[in-house]
Amino acid sequence: MSLTEAAAGSPSARVIQTGLLHTSGAENARQRFVQNFAQHRRERRMQWVIGLCVLILLIGVSAVLGEVDLVHLWKRLPRFASYFGRMVPEIAWATLWVDLARWYWNVSVWLAALWQTILIAIYATLLGVVFGYVASFFAARNLSPGSKSIFISRRIMETARTVPELVFAVLFVYSFGLGPLAGVLAIGLHSMGALGKLFADVAENTDLEQVKGVRSTGASWAQTMVFGATPQVLPDYLSYALLRFEINVRAASILGFVGAGGIGQELYTAVKSFHHTDISAIALMLLVAVIAIDSFCSWLRGRIIGRDNLRAI
Amino acid sequence: MRQPLPDQNTALAAADINQAAPAAKPWREQRPDLYPRTGLAAWRSYLMASVVLVLFFLGLDELEITVERLLHGFGKLGEVFGLMVPPESKGRTLVYLAAIAETVAMAFIGTFVASLLALPLALMGARNVMPFGLVRLFVRRSSDVVRGLDSLIWAIFFVSIVGLGPFAGILAIVMIDTGILTKLYAEALENTDSEQTKGVRATGAGRLQTLLFGVLPQVLPVFLANSLYFVESNVRSATILGVVGAGGIGFFLMDRMMISAWREVALIILLVLATVAVIDTLSRWLRNRLIGQTVTVRA
C-alpha cells in the first residue's frame, strides 16, 4: 500500500480535502466580499456625486433667484465697517458721564419702550400658555375626548404657528388699532400654536394609570385633565413656556416695525434716519435685556426640571 | 417630638397599615400639603394671589388693553376675514410664485453659507476641541450677541448697507444662523462620546486625524439634521423679511395689506402655508434618508 493510496482513503485525507475546500470557500467569500464592497463603494460614491451635483445646482439656482452678487458685496465691504463703525459713540475717559449722557440722550423713552416690549412678551406668553394648555389635551391622542377634536385642534395649531407673528401683527393692527394690544394678540396666537404642539407631545407621554384613577372617581373629562394629567405634565409645560418667553422677547422687539408696540418702533426710526449712535444705544439695551432674560430663564428651567434634563430639550 | 416633614414615601408607608405610627396623628397633621391652608398660611396665599392679580391688571392697563377695544377689534377682525374670501390673484399668481421661489432660495442659500461658516466657528468654540479658553469665550459670546438680535433687525442693517433686495435678506439669515448654528454645533461637539475619540487616538492618530475620524463622524448627523431643520425654519422667517425690503414674498404681503387688498392677502398666506408644508415634508423625508434615524433637534 503506497503512501498516497493510504492517504487517499484515510480520514486524514478527507480532512485535508475538506480543509482545501474550506480554504477555497474562504477565498470565494473573500472575493465576493471584495466585489460587494467595491460595488457598494461605487454606489455610495455615485450617490455622493449625484447629491453633490444636486446641491451645487440648487445653490446656483438659489444664488440667481436671491440676486447674490459677490462683486457688489466686495464693493460694499467697506460700508460694513463704516456702518457699524459709525455706531460706536465718541466716549472719552475724561468726559465719560457727559458722553454717556449724550449717547443715551433719550434713555427714558427707550427704557419705557423696552419695558413695553418685555410686557408684551409676558402677556403673549401667558395667552399662549393658557390656550396651548387647553388645546394640548384636545390634541393629545391618548387624552383627547374624540378623534375629531384631535384633528381640529391640530390643524388650528399648525396654522397658528406657520403664519409668522408679523403677519398676524399687521392684521391685528388693522383691526385693533396701533399699539401693543395687536402685538400681544399676534405673538400670543403664534405661541398658542407652537406651545400647543410641544405640550401635546408631552401630554401623549403621560402615565394613563393616574388619569384612569382620577377618572374612576367619577370626575368629568375636564376634571380628569386638571387633576389627573396636569400634575404629571406641569414641569415640562413650565419649562417650554419659559423657553417660549425667551423667544417671545425677541419677537416682541420687532413688532414696532409694523406699529404693534415695543422697542422696534424706536429702532426702526433710528435706522431709517441714519442716527447711528441711537441704533447702537437701543440695540445694546435690547441685547442686555435679552441676554439677562435668557440666563434668568435657563436658571429657572434648571430649577424646575433639573439640570440633566435641560440638555434634552 | 415632631418628626421632620415626612416625605411622600414615609408618609404613605406610615399611613399604609397604621403600624409605623401607633398613635396615628390626624391626616391633616401628617400631610398638611394635601389640605386647604388655614390661618396665617391661608391669608398669605390670598395676599399673594391678590398681588398677582393687581399686577396683572396693572400690566393690562399699561398695554392699553380694554374690553371695549377687544370687542371692537374682534368685530373688525371678523369683517377682515369676511373680506378675504374668496382668495383671488388678479392675474399675479406667477409674480407671487416667483417671490415664493425667491423666499425659499434665500432660506436655502442662507442656511448653507451659515452652516459652512458655523463649522469652523463651532470647532473653535467647543471645549474638547479648542484648548484656548479665551478663543472659546470670544466665539461663544459673539454668537450670543448675534443671536440676541432678531433676524429682522439684522435685515434692516443690511438693507442700509447693501440696498433693498433679497441679498440683504440672505446676509441677515447668514448672520443670525451662523450665531445659532455655532452654538448648536459646539454643544453637539461637546456632547460627543470621548471613548470613541480615545480609541482613534490610541491607534496613533494625530490631533487633526482624531478630529476627522473620532469626533466628526459622531456629530455630522446632528449637524446635518440641524441645518436641514434650519432651512425649514428659515423659509418661515424669510417670508417676513420682505416687510423691511429684504426680498421675498413678504414685500407683496405687506404691500397688499397696506392697500387692504384682503383677497390677495388671503391667497398669499395660503401660498405660504402650502410652501411651508411642502418644504417641511421634503426636509423630513431628506432627514430620514440621510440620517436614517431621528436625531433630536433643539430649536
Side-chain angles (χ1 to χ4, degrees):
Chain A
M1 201 161 117
S2 71
L3 199 64
T4 39
E5 260 175 328
S10 73
S12 63
R14 241 176 288 141
V15 170
I16 291 168
Q17 271 175 351
T18 48
L20 274 174
L21 266 179
H22 187 71
T23 322
S24 66
E27 184 59 29
N28 277 344
R30 205 183 73 84
Q31 273 174 358
R32 242 179 298 131
F33 172 74
V34 168
Q35 274 170 5
N36 282 348
F37 186 73
Q39 197 188 348
H40 180 72
R41 217 168 162 179
R42 259 200 308 276
E43 278 168 14
R44 279 300 287 265
R45 214 172 274 169
M46 208 55 210
Q47 278 176 355
W48 267 103
V49 169
I50 292 171
L52 213 63
C53 287
V54 171
L55 188 67
I56 290 171
L57 191 73
L58 278 177
I59 290 168
V61 172
S62 303
V64 173
L65 283 174
E67 296 169 24
V68 174
D69 189 346
L70 292 178
V71 180
H72 182 63
L73 181 65
W74 178 253
K75 271 193 222 144
R76 287 294 171 97
L77 219 47
R79 280 192 56 176
F80 281 87
S82 69
Y83 187 81
F84 289 109
R86 261 178 290 171
M87 283 189 190
V88 181
E90 287 173 29
I91 291 182
W93 186 245
T95 54
L96 180 68
W97 299 111
V98 182
D99 288 344
L100 276 181
R102 193 181 299 142
W103 188 24
Y104 275 95
W105 62 277
N106 207 2
V107 70
S108 56
V109 171
W110 294 337
L111 270 180
L114 185 65
W115 174 233
Q116 194 181 56
T117 308
I118 296 170
L119 266 187
I120 292 175
I122 292 174
Y123 280 82
T125 311
L126 277 178
L127 199 64
V129 167
V130 169
F131 283 94
Y133 168 78
V134 175
S136 69
F137 293 126
F138 283 102
R141 289 189 183 86
N142 52 349
L143 300 174
S144 180
S147 58
K148 254 186 220 140
S149 70
I150 297 177
F151 181 81
I152 295 173
S153 55
R154 287 202 171 240
R155 291 299 90 72
I156 292 177
M157 293 190 303
E158 258 165 34
T159 316
R161 67 170 181 274
T162 306
V163 177
E165 285 119 337
L166 221 57
V167 175
F168 282 140
V170 179
L171 264 179
F172 292 154
V173 164
Y174 182 83
S175 35
F176 291 87
L178 289 169
L181 171 57
V184 169
L185 292 176
I187 299 183
L189 188 55
H190 191 90
S191 305
M192 186 269 280
L195 280 178
K197 182 194 180 273
L198 293 172
F199 285 179
D201 289 347
V202 173
E204 285 182 349
N205 289 326
T206 43
D207 178 10
L208 284 180
E209 295 306 311
Q210 255 181 67
V211 178
K212 281 185 212 152
V214 174
R215 188 80 172 162
S216 67
T217 64
S220 68
W221 180 78
Q223 286 170 327
T224 314
M225 291 304 114
V226 172
F227 297 106
T230 305
Q232 294 183 53
V233 297
L234 202 58
D236 284 347
Y237 276 31
L238 278 178
S239 174
Y240 278 129
L242 283 170
L243 204 63
R244 194 68 220 176
F245 175 59
E246 293 174 27
I247 298 170
N248 284 349
V249 172
R250 287 179 173 79
S253 69
I254 55 163
L255 284 173
F257 292 10
V258 295
I263 203 165
Q265 177 102 50
E266 301 291 328
L267 188 62
Y268 204 22
T269 316
V271 169
K272 280 204 280 198
S273 47
F274 292 97
H275 289 151
H276 288 90
T277 52
D278 284 8
I279 301 174
S280 63
I282 296 171
L284 190 66
M285 279 171 71
L286 186 58
L287 210 58
V288 169
V290 164
I291 290 176
I293 287 172
D294 278 11
S295 342
F296 174 71
C297 283
S298 83
W299 171 79
L300 210 56
R301 284 195 301 134
R303 298 267 324 237
I304 292 173
I305 59 170
R307 279 264 143 233
D308 297 337
N309 297 330
L310 207 58
R311 283 194 171 271
I313 292 177
Chain B
M1 195 184 86
R2 218 201 128 117
Q3 288 175 337
L5 200 63
D7 72 295
Q8 203 172 344
N9 291 332
T10 54
L12 283 178
D16 218 14
I17 331 173
N18 273 337
Q19 51 173 229
K25 285 180 198 154
W27 279 102
R28 194 180 276 275
E29 265 178 54
Q30 282 183 37
R31 295 294 305 275
D33 52 313
L34 292 180
Y35 285 85
R37 287 175 200 171
T38 51
L40 204 63
W43 281 109
R44 208 164 51 200
S45 51
Y46 291 149
L47 193 69
M48 282 284 281
S50 37
V51 165
V52 169
L53 218 59
V54 166
L55 280 180
F56 178 76
F57 282 108
L58 276 180
L60 285 185
D61 189 52
E62 179 95 10
L63 293 174
E64 299 158 28
I65 299 176
T66 58
V67 180
E68 301 99 77
R69 271 191 80 186
L70 276 173
L71 287 178
H72 178 77
F74 277 118
K76 217 167 163 198
L77 193 64
E79 277 174 37
V80 172
F81 279 128
L83 291 174
M84 277 185 170
V85 281
E88 64 173 7
S89 67
K90 291 239 176 84
R92 265 194 291 263
T93 315
L94 274 181
V95 179
Y96 296 150
L97 284 180
I100 282 185
E102 187 179 285
T103 311
V104 176
M106 284 161 62
F108 178 71
I109 203 163
T111 315
F112 180 75
V113 175
S115 307
L116 287 189
L117 291 178
L119 192 61
L121 286 173
L123 290 174
M124 280 194 267
R127 192 173 304 130
N128 49 352
V129 179
M130 168 52 71
F132 307 113
L134 217 59
V135 179
R136 276 201 321 258
L137 193 77
F138 179 73
V139 170
R140 288 298 191 95
R141 288 297 87 79
S142 316
S143 115
D144 283 348
V145 167
V146 169
R147 279 183 297 120
L149 297 179
D150 195 272
S151 59
L152 214 59
I153 295 179
W154 289 111
I156 54 175
F157 290 165
F158 290 125
V159 165
S160 300
I161 297 172
V162 299
L164 293 169
F167 191 42
I170 292 175
L171 288 179
I173 293 177
V174 168
M175 192 78 185
I176 191 120
D177 274 20
T178 307
I180 301 175
L181 287 175
T182 299
K183 175 175 181 267
L184 292 180
Y185 286 4
E187 276 171 7
L189 281 168
E190 283 176 1
N191 282 341
T192 49
D193 183 7
S194 62
E195 295 302 312
Q196 203 167 325
T197 320
K198 276 186 213 153
V200 175
R201 174 153 280 173
T203 64
R207 243 195 124 69
L208 186 68
Q209 285 166 324
T210 315
L211 192 66
L212 279 180
F213 299 104
V215 179
L216 282 186
Q218 293 186 53
V219 291
L220 275 181
V222 184
F223 285 9
L224 213 57
N226 270 317
S227 291
L228 271 173
Y229 175 76
F230 270 81
V231 173
E232 220 175 296
S233 100
N234 279 333
V235 171
R236 289 162 204 255
S237 52
T239 53
I240 55 160
L241 286 175
V243 170
V244 295
I249 188 73
F251 170 74
F252 291 104
L253 191 58
M254 216 45 203
D255 185 50
R256 299 292 103 182
M257 278 182 164
M258 286 300 160
I259 61 163
S260 302
W262 295 112
R263 290 185 181 181
E264 287 172 75
V265 170
L267 180 80
I268 295 176
I269 292 179
L270 287 180
L271 283 177
V272 167
L273 288 181
T275 312
V276 170
V278 169
I279 298 279
D280 277 11
T281 317
L282 251 173
S283 126
R284 197 172 309 142
W285 173 79
L286 204 62
R287 251 200 321 247
N288 285 338
R289 278 239 35 203
L290 287 176
I291 302 149
Q293 80 245 18
T294 38
V295 174
T296 39
V297 172
R298 293 181 55 192

